[in-house]
Amino acid sequence: MANTDVLRAIDAVLVLGVEDTSTPEGKAADALVSQYDLSNVVGRLTNVAIGISSDVQPFYEIGNRYPTHLRPGIVRVNGSAERAHVNGALLRLLLGDGAVSPPSGPAFVQPSFNLISTLRDPNHPTQSSKITLFGVKFDRWNYTIPSDTFVMEAVSFQAMRVAYEET
């Protein structure tokens, strides 16, 4: 049984996630931050949907008809964005060693990002909430070129953990 909350925000920003420079992802991100002198924000996402699901499992004691308590299951944080505006260095980082031809090795690392989304209520303009996803990795990037309208991009992602803050 999955319990899912869907949180929607108008837009979000991407920040390079250099949490641990000893990991391959951290080394790749740190090298690009130094090489291109990147500021904090490297991309923006619009029409972001963040989904948090946890597989709560009921625990039944022998002889009881109803569960005695609920046990937490695996927590999954995923989402998607309708449009992505990114820095060119970000695309190079996404490709990693695959950006050079031929790639230096059979496998290359995929970077992780922090996604920061701010939620605002028009009725309370001084209040806002902030959702930060840590360790975000893109698992799908679609680039659609229709014949009679605008070029559209879409991205979906998985995250390691999430933080929620009200201000």
Side-chain angles (χ1 to χ4, degrees), residues 99-162:
V100 295
S101 182
S104 61
F108 45 86
V109 298
Q110 181 183 8
S112 62
F113 303 95
N114 296 336
L115 189 145
I116 303 167
S117 180
T118 303
L119 306 172
R120 290 195 175 89
D121 185 359
N123 296 326
H124 305 285
T126 59
Q127 296 177 351
S128 65
S129 298
K130 190 175 286 191
I131 299 173
T132 305
L133 302 180
F134 297 97
V136 171
K137 291 193 177 196
F138 296 136
D139 63 357
R140 188 173 49 237
W141 189 297
N142 300 325
Y143 192 76
T144 306
I145 305 174
S147 62
D148 59 347
T149 187
F150 296 104
V151 173
M152 291 298 293
E153 297 173 80
V155 65
S156 68
F157 53 85
Q158 301 285 327
M160 297 291 291
R161 59 187 191 278
V162 63

Side-chain angles (χ1 to χ4, degrees), residues 54-71:
S54 62
D55 295 329
V56 177
Q57 301 292 322
F59 177 75
Y60 295 90
E61 289 182 353
I62 296 175
N64 283 344
R65 182 178 184 136
Y66 299 103
T68 55
H69 59 278
L70 301 174
R71 293 191 174 171

Side-chain angles (χ1 to χ4, degrees), residues 33-95:
V33 167
S34 301
Q35 179 181 356
Y36 292 106
D37 193 27
L38 294 176
S39 63
N40 287 338
V41 176
V42 294
R44 296 193 183 281
L45 304 175
T46 58
N47 292 334
V48 176
I50 300 169
I52 303 166
S53 65
S54 62
D55 295 329
V56 177
Q57 301 292 322
F59 177 75
Y60 295 90
E61 289 182 353
I62 296 175
N64 283 344
R65 182 178 184 136
Y66 299 103
T68 55
H69 59 278
L70 301 174
R71 293 191 174 171
I74 297 172
V75 176
R76 292 177 187 85
V77 181
N78 59 13
S80 63
E82 185 177 296
R83 182 123 169 98
H85 306 274
V86 296
N87 186 322
L90 172 64
L91 293 178
R92 167 130 176 27
L93 180 60
L94 284 172
L95 293 172

